[in-house]
Amino acid sequence: MQYLLNENNAKIVQEIVTAIHENANLLSQIDGETGDGDHGVNMNKGFLMAGERISDEDSFSEALKTLGRTLVMDIGGSMGPIYGTFFSKLSKTFKGEGRITSDLFEKAVLNAKEGLMDLAGAQPGDKTLVDTVVPAYEAFKAANAEGKEFSECLNALKDGAKKGKESTKDMVAKIGRAARLGERSKGHLDAGATSCCIILCTMADGIIANLQSE
């Protein structure tokens, strides 16, 4: 059985911080097509701030907690509380656990998904990050139910996240600034769905690279 050690794996969260930093301009460009174009700027600011507060000796769950708390407290706009809740839910599920298994990870993503949906008030099809998270979770859950290895489940999650992100291009925005455009929001990716895809895929790759087995 494959598992991730919770201890000393803060580097996975630091990899997420780096991924957001490297894609900040892309995220703002996408946001500028239907919104005010500051998604990448705000995300980059909050994630870099969190990265400075995360110690290499922190556990995976502690690093996620620091990231979540920083986004809630120090990032502007609506995405701070939304992503802050997402990471905090992940952290709470992993807290006190020595080993993170595929079953525990599935539970964590479910908790995070439900937490952000409750906060954002978004449903699948509204053209938000929910359209990335839900198919990613469902793909992971299906692979896990089939008894696939943790790494295979994470690859399924990545595929689900990418398909979910791409699906937002054909949607009409129902929530946020883009909703004011109505049908004109169609034909553009959602910035939140894109950043969420980056986050989930980077997290999955980081976990895969550090998996152990017995």
Side-chain angles (χ1 to χ4, degrees), residues 12 15 20 25 36 41 47 49-50 52 55 65 77-78 91 103 106-107 113 122 125 170 182 186 198 200-201 204:
I12 298 173
E15 288 166 4
I20 290 297
N25 289 337
D36 50 15
V41 174
F47 277 68
M49 195 177 295
E52 294 174 354
S55 167
K65 180 181 178 180
S78 61
S91 172
D103 287 344
E106 180 184 322
K107 179 181 178 183
K113 173 183 75 75
D170 297 321
K186 205 169 183 179
I198 292 168
L200 289 175
C201 289

Side-chain angles (χ1 to χ4, degrees), residues 91-167:
S91 172
K92 287 178 182 177
T93 309
F94 298 143
K95 184 180 179 181
E97 299 287 346
R99 295 181 176 185
I100 296 169
T101 62
S102 57
D103 287 344
L104 185 61
F105 187 82
E106 180 184 322
K107 179 181 178 183
V109 178
L110 173 62
N111 291 341
K113 173 183 75 75
E114 292 182 341
L116 73 85
M117 287 177 70
D118 288 343
L119 181 64
Q123 297 296 320
D126 286 347
K127 199 181 178 90
T128 71
L129 74 166
V130 168
D131 293 299
T132 293
V133 173
V134 170
Y137 166 72
E138 294 295 344
F140 185 96
K141 180 181 178 181
N144 196 27
E146 292 173 9
K148 293 185 177 180
E149 290 278 13
F150 197 174
S151 56
E152 294 177 293
C153 296
L154 287 166
N155 281 323
L157 176 135
K158 288 168 57 181
D159 289 341
K162 291 172 184 176
K163 290 175 183 175
K165 175 201 73 175
E166 289 298 325
S167 74

Side-chain angles (χ1 to χ4, degrees), residues 7-48:
E7 292 302 314
N8 298 315
N9 264 316
K11 58 181 175 287
I12 298 173
V13 181
Q14 291 285 22
E15 288 166 4
I16 296 172
V17 170
T18 299
I20 290 297
H21 175 63
E22 291 176 345
N23 287 280
N25 289 337
L26 171 65
L27 293 174
S28 286
Q29 179 183 340
I30 292 172
D31 189 38
E33 294 175 359
T34 57
D36 50 15
D38 65 352
H39 184 62
V41 174
N42 287 337
M43 291 283 284
N44 191 40
K45 175 186 174 183
F47 277 68
L48 286 179

